[in-house]
Amino acid sequence: MTDTPVIRTRGLTKRYRGTDALVDLDLEVSPGEVVGYLGPNGAGKTTTIRLLLGLIRPTSGTAQLFGLDSLQDAVAVHRRLAYVSGEPSLWPNLTGAEALHLLGQVQGTVDVPYRDDLVERFALDPSKKVRAYSKGNRQKVVLIAALASRPDLLVLDEPTAGLDPLMVHEFRSCVLEAKGRGRTVFLSSHLLSEVEALCDRVGVLSEGRLIEMGTLAEMRHLSAVTVEVTFEGDAPDLSTVDGVLSASANGRHASLQVRGSMEPLLKVLATSGVRQLRSREPSLEELFLTLYGDHDGASPHDG
Ligand code: ATP
């Protein structure tokens, strides 16, 4: 039994009229793993999660959780998981405490001391009415309810949307605590940094297709950095410098995608009359544009 994957999909496909929301997904998540699921808007993350939870019916293929069919055995499956959607809808007339109580009853089990501890850690005022909560505070309510049920599987769809950086930090600690207790976590995000901080393995989805799946070490080639440079005069051509994946120039301004060591680029920039230099992690969209262009099917860095 211990070898049964917590999540297992085979050929999982969902087509809407004219849209391939998810195509032929084969996914396996083992007990105790924290798996990130990354993709730009519309990639199919929420569709995957809805299929896993048995909320929608696949066009073809199967989804199993704990070895059970997520549609046929939905009741048994849902006893062992908790789900947090990125757009929580709650009862506006209840207080935070009442909403937590009700969510706990729906969930079935609640570790009450842990729940109270989470309320403190997330600095939630449970006496306020839900209607008076900001989006971030509503997000905290559903996160606390999910975590406090100590489920075997946590399914989190963009869980930190709306949380401030302190709360994101707290959330990450909670996920690592769940992992420390051997729980399994499946987390969707459009932020590479989010999954980098938490996940053992990462899947990358683009236009309904899983184009990458592996450990972060295996996916190092994805972690390019965007460098924006403003020069004193016209931007020079930097596209041939070692480590530069792509470069575009507009007058005095250049925007570069750089992978690996920055040293070759910095050497060139040191003698190029730089006025301003900024670097940041690229958005996934930029990453996909750099690495895959229009050819989503194959990774240029495989093998
Ligand atoms: P986001 O990060 O924006 O939430 P996502 O990765 O979760 O995106 P999905 O919501 O799974 O993406 O959507 C995948 C594709 O399927 C999109 O093109 C979307 O428009 C389409 N889609 C999703 N649900 C439906 C529906 N009920 N009817 C028609 N098309 C749909």
Side-chain angles (χ1 to χ4, degrees), residues 16 19 21 40-47 50 158:
Y16 293 103
T19 307
N41 292 134
K45 303 182 295 293
T46 302
T47 300
R50 289 198 181 126
E158 304 271 358

Side-chain angles (χ1 to χ4, degrees), residues 14-17 19-22 39-50 56 157-158 188-190 205 208:
K14 182 71 182 176
R15 290 185 216 284
Y16 293 103
R17 194 185 292 257
T19 307
D20 290 344
L22 189 68
N41 292 134
K45 303 182 295 293
T46 302
T47 300
T48 305
I49 286 177
R50 289 198 181 126
I56 53 174
D157 194 1
E158 304 271 358
S188 92
S189 179
H190 61 275
L205 202 63

